Amino acid sequence: MTFQEDASDIAGKYRVISVEKSDPPSGMTGDNWYRYIIGAGNSKVIGCKPGTLNTVTEHAQIAAADLNARSTRVGSIYAPRSKK
């Protein structure tokens, strides 16, 4: 079983591209592992998580929403403050 989202979403917004059943990562055990891909443009985040298709999809959607919230901040927190 897999989850696949339409790639026609707005460019620049992180979204869940796919969630698919996979083998456990090296050194891990269990039967229900899923690999998910979150992307925006050329950027991709790939992760693995145990659980059901629904719980891993929900986890990936929350992660994508968090990435979008972080990317809407104006300026860098590391940029020097402007002089008065």
Side-chain angles (χ1 to χ4, degrees):
M1 231 178 196
T2 64
F3 167 84
Q4 200 95 24
E5 186 173 281
D6 184 11
S8 64
D9 279 351
I10 300 169
K13 290 281 195 176
Y14 284 94
R15 66 188 192 292
V16 178
I17 296 171
S18 68
V19 179
E20 58 190 22
K21 190 123 172 103
S22 69
D23 293 328
S26 179
M28 303 299 284
T29 60
D31 293 332
N32 294 321
W33 282 86
Y34 288 86
R35 178 179 181 260
Y36 60 88
I37 301 174
I38 299 170
N42 291 330
S43 299
K44 288 188 180 171
V45 176
I46 300 171
C48 277
K49 185 166 177 63
T52 65
L53 177 61
N54 289 338
T55 60
V56 176
T57 300
E58 182 179 353
H59 168 80
Q61 289 170 336
I62 291 169
D66 288 346
L67 288 168
N68 285 325
R70 292 178 195 167
S71 67
T72 59
R73 292 183 185 157
V74 177
S76 169
I77 61 171
Y78 300 107
R81 295 182 182 185
S82 60
K83 296 184 180 186
K84 294 182 182 180

